[in-house]
Each structure stands twice: as structure tokens, then as C-alpha cells.
Amino acid sequence: MTQKRPFGLPSARLVAIAAVAGILAGGVAVYVKQAGSGNAVASADAAACAGSVERAQALSPAIRGEVAALVPVDEPRKIANLAFKDASGADTSLAAFAGKPLLINLWATWCVPCREEMPALNNLQKAMGGEDFQVLAINIDTPNAGDKPKAFLEEIGVDSLGLYRDSSMGVFNSMKKEGLAFGLPVTVLVDEKGCLLGSMNGPAAWDSDDAKALVTAAVSPPTT
């Protein structure tokens, strides 16, 4: 399990809006029916995630400044069976992204700090995304939101993330059950095998030098 610790947020404005959004997200999660989502998130898996704790702890020097809120994992945990939709509406899952570290971010259009950090996530993907790393942003707006998530991304010029959706909120509710999500936004960093390296609740400046240094450390683990 990861342990809670104070957020390291990029601005006073985000401190305030994150507090409000966290309460809203928690309330929504409580009242959303958790049935039929097909999602199961974290499980202890010492064999599949051998070395992941040591790798997570090695990130400590890079967990600072704008990304100081990231909490490294302290036991082997595999993020498994996350199911969601791609931009075409087709079923996909985390397995389709295996083979490279991922920064998985859950967001919603009603979440103000989520909206604030989307351009930064887009910039991070532009700067560092590729065969060795990807930002995977999953929208959890409910079905009645219609095309609102797509329109929002187009309006603010987010053009590198793609639109992935889980309108059942199963991904969020599963992460909340596992102690990884307490509100929105929530971000988890996993390695190329889908093993958890760290988690963060609250927004961050993901296109900052601190964030890029963290990604670089995650993509290039220390040799033994």
C-alpha cells in the first residue's frame, strides 16, 4: 500500500480548487453504483513485480518540487485489468499499453484542477511520449456528458493525449477501493510490466522540469 502525505501542489489556486474537487469526487464515488465495470486494479504480486519496490524507492531523488506529492509504492502491486474505451468507442485495456512506463491520469470535465492540468499533461506527452513512455489520460465523465470531454480537449488544444473514457467510473472506484484514489485528479506511475511505482492525488505541473526528471528516472531505472 502507499501512504498518504501532504500534496506538493504547483500553485495556491490549485490548492484551493483541489480541496473542493476532492470533496466532490469523493462524494460522487460514494454514490456511483459499482457494478459491471469489469475493473480490478491493484494486487500484490511479488513474482510479476519483482524489483518494483526497489525501483520505486530509487525514484526518491526525483520526487521533489512540482511532483513532491508522488508517493512511491512500498510493496509489489500490479495494476491489472483496467478496462475503458478508446477514442472510437471500442473496448481496450491497460494490456494494450504494456511494454513501456505509463503515467495514468484520471480526469473529468467537472473537476476544475483536472481541467487546469490537462495542457501540462499534453505537453509532457509531446515532450517525452513515444516508444519508451506514454501519458494515458482516462476521462471518467458519466454517459450523460455526451461529447463534452472531446469538445473540451479540442477547445484547449489538447492534441497528443487521445480520448480514453470510462463512463462507468469503474476505474476510479476501483482505485479508491485500493487506497490509490481519494479524489480527482489522481495519477499513478507504472512500469513497463504494469507494476505500480507511485501514486499521487491532486494536480501537478506535469510539464515542469521536475516532472520530466521524474519520468526520465522512471524510464531509465538504475542498473544493478
Side-chain angles (χ1 to χ4, degrees), residues 1-5 7 21-23 25-27 29 172 175-176 178-186 199-201:
M1 298 288 290
T2 55
Q3 298 176 346
K4 299 181 188 178
R5 73 183 188 194
F7 298 160
I23 294 171
F172 175 83
M175 283 193 180
K176 182 179 180 183
E178 294 291 339
L180 298 174
F182 308 106
L184 285 181
V186 57
S199 61
M200 178 190 294
N201 281 260

Side-chain angles (χ1 to χ4, degrees), residues 117-205:
E117 73 174 357
M118 291 308 293
L121 287 164
N122 189 62
N123 290 339
L124 178 62
Q125 174 63 20
K126 281 185 176 180
M128 304 194 71
E131 294 182 359
D132 297 326
F133 170 75
Q134 182 170 342
V135 177
L136 177 58
I138 304 174
N139 174 267
I140 62 168
D141 278 65
T142 54
N144 59 13
D147 290 332
K148 189 175 180 180
K150 180 180 178 181
F152 168 69
L153 294 183
E154 291 176 348
E155 177 186 344
I156 63 172
V158 170
D159 55 4
S160 296
L161 295 180
L163 178 59
Y164 299 95
R165 299 188 66 176
D166 173 30
S167 59
S168 73
M169 283 188 68
V171 172
F172 175 83
N173 286 326
S174 295
M175 283 193 180
K176 182 179 180 183
K177 182 179 179 181
E178 294 291 339
L180 298 174
F182 308 106
L184 285 181
V186 57
T187 307
V188 298
L189 180 64
V190 301
D191 68 13
E192 60 277 0
K193 297 180 292 185
C195 298
L196 182 66
L197 295 177
S199 61
M200 178 190 294
N201 281 260

Side-chain angles (χ1 to χ4, degrees), residues 69-149:
L70 187 84
V71 183
V73 69
D74 59 11
E75 68 177 13
R77 302 184 72 182
K78 190 173 180 66
I79 302 296
N81 301 323
L82 284 184
F84 44 94
K85 305 282 188 181
D86 65 16
S88 70
D91 292 332
T92 189
S93 71
L94 199 60
F97 301 86
K100 56 186 172 183
L102 299 172
L103 190 75
I104 305 169
N105 177 273
L106 305 187
W107 69 282
T109 57
W110 48 261
C111 164
V112 178
C114 301
R115 295 169 67 97
E116 290 281 325
E117 73 174 357
M118 291 308 293
L121 287 164
N122 189 62
N123 290 339
L124 178 62
Q125 174 63 20
K126 281 185 176 180
M128 304 194 71
E131 294 182 359
D132 297 326
F133 170 75
Q134 182 170 342
V135 177
L136 177 58
I138 304 174
N139 174 267
I140 62 168
D141 278 65
T142 54
N144 59 13
D147 290 332
K148 189 175 180 180

